[in-house]
Amino acid sequence: HVQLVESGGGSVQAGGSLRLSCSLSGNTKDSACMGWYRQAPGKEREGIAVIYTGTETTAYRGSVKGRFNISRDNAKETVYLQLNSLRPEDTAMYYCVADWGRNAPNCLAQISDYNYWGQGTQVTVS
């Protein structure tokens, strides 16, 4: 039984930083695409960053590239999203997502098809 539990959201001023964490339980042995989705009120959800756990390959949406960084701690079975240089338009609910059976090059493109989601953590930038 796969579970994803996010933490680390909050309120911050523009230009500030936050670190989101996603703890994975269940299938932690097989290589997975893991990533972060966000959805702002009145906007479509968007996948913003992924990591393929087998090779640590990462990919980012253009709007966050250079500002956000996704990483993984194998020992803690946790994926992190470091959010830097935050902007008001980054305000959204951020969800950790994961899936298995995909290849690294497809992790970002296929993020909308992932089967496992966390409950979300709110990020507010003012």
Side-chain angles (χ1 to χ4, degrees), residues 2 7 12 24 28 36 39 43 47-48 55 66-68 71 74 80 83 94 107 110 114 126:
V2 172
S7 60
V12 65
L24 168 67
T28 60
W36 293 89
Q39 185 160 25
K43 294 188 179 180
I48 55 173
T55 58
R67 299 189 298 124
F68 293 4
S71 62
N74 288 347
Y80 302 100
L83 290 66
Y94 285 69
C107 282
Q110 297 177 354
Y114 288 14
S126 58

Side-chain angles (χ1 to χ4, degrees), residues 13-56:
Q13 291 190 335
S17 298
L18 284 172
R19 189 176 79 158
L20 308 183
S21 300
C22 173
S23 176
L24 168 67
S25 60
N27 185 352
T28 60
K29 294 195 303 182
D30 298 328
S31 297
C33 286
M34 295 190 68
W36 293 89
Y37 236 103
R38 69 183 181 185
Q39 185 160 25
K43 294 188 179 180
E44 288 190 8
R45 61 184 186 182
E46 58 176 355
I48 55 173
V50 295
I51 185 166
Y52 183 69
T53 63
T55 58
E56 306 292 313

Side-chain angles (χ1 to χ4, degrees), residues 7 12-15 21 32 37 40-41 45 47 53 57 68-70 85 89-92 95-98 108 115:
S7 60
V12 65
Q13 291 190 335
S21 300
Y37 236 103
R45 61 184 186 182
T53 63
T57 303
F68 293 4
N69 184 68
I70 188 169
S85 303
E89 54 264 38
D90 295 317
T91 294
Y95 298 91
C96 179
V97 293
L108 186 59
N115 289 297

